[in-house]
Amino acid sequence: MKKTAVAGSLAALCLLCSCAQTAQGKLRQAVYDTASAYHLLASPMPDVMADRVPGVHLNTVQKNLARQTSQTVLDALTNLEHAIQTNSTVTETAVAALQADFARFSTCWAGLRAGGATPAGCTASTSVPSAAAASPSALPTTTTASVTTGKN
């Protein structure tokens, strides 16, 4: 009986692992990895914004820049996570835009916390267009997600 249960569990695990080897599985994993990195990096934001971190003081402009870059990442994550939950296709373009936004936020946030001049990454918007900008008709009408529905 134990061998049957172990074999069944092993078969289920193999099926789950094989799913992550598809293009969609890899894109979805990239979204999850970026979400984890974002949440880890952004976790001290509330304390920094409230001036509760010794040695780190941001002026109003810097706080607004940090909020904007953070919100850009959060919006992209929310849209992509919604697409994953509804089993919509996640595009490489949307994931690349998310990763570019995260890189911009990471550079901006690290620079702001280090003090000194505002990093260049805090000012310009991401240069990677989102799928929403490229093809708004391919998106669900209820969201402005950077994803399209269709083939896997």
Side-chain angles (χ1 to χ4, degrees):
M1 184 67 171
K2 284 185 180 181
K3 288 183 181 181
T4 306
V6 170
S9 298
L10 189 56
L13 181 61
C14 289
L15 288 174
L16 287 175
C17 291
S18 67
C19 291
Q21 299 305 316
T22 66
Q24 279 299 292
K26 290 178 182 179
L27 289 171
R28 290 173 179 179
Q29 187 61 50
V31 171
Y32 295 139
D33 292 345
T34 305
S36 293
Y38 166 77
H39 291 298
L40 183 66
L41 185 63
S43 63
M45 273 187 83
D47 290 331
V48 171
M49 296 297 188
D51 294 324
R52 291 189 295 243
V53 177
V56 179
H57 177 72
L58 303 180
N59 63 38
T60 303
V61 172
Q62 290 171 323
K63 287 179 183 180
N64 286 335
L65 288 171
R67 282 186 191 104
Q68 288 170 354
T69 58
S70 176
Q71 191 63 50
T72 300
V73 176
L74 195 55
D75 290 345
L77 278 172
T78 300
N79 292 333
L80 286 166
E81 287 171 345
H82 175 73
I84 290 169
Q85 290 172 355
T86 59
N87 206 26
S88 297
T89 300
V90 177
T91 66
E92 288 181 33
T93 303
V95 174
L98 167 65
Q99 290 173 336
D101 288 339
F102 174 72
R104 183 172 150 245
F105 168 71
S106 178
T107 300
C108 177
W109 186 234
L112 289 173
R113 288 187 310 165
T118 302
C122 290
T123 55
S125 64
T126 181
S127 60
V128 178
S130 70
S135 179
S137 62
L139 299 174
T141 57
T142 58
T143 65
T144 57
S146 298
V147 295
T148 58
T149 56
K151 65 181 180 181
N152 287 337

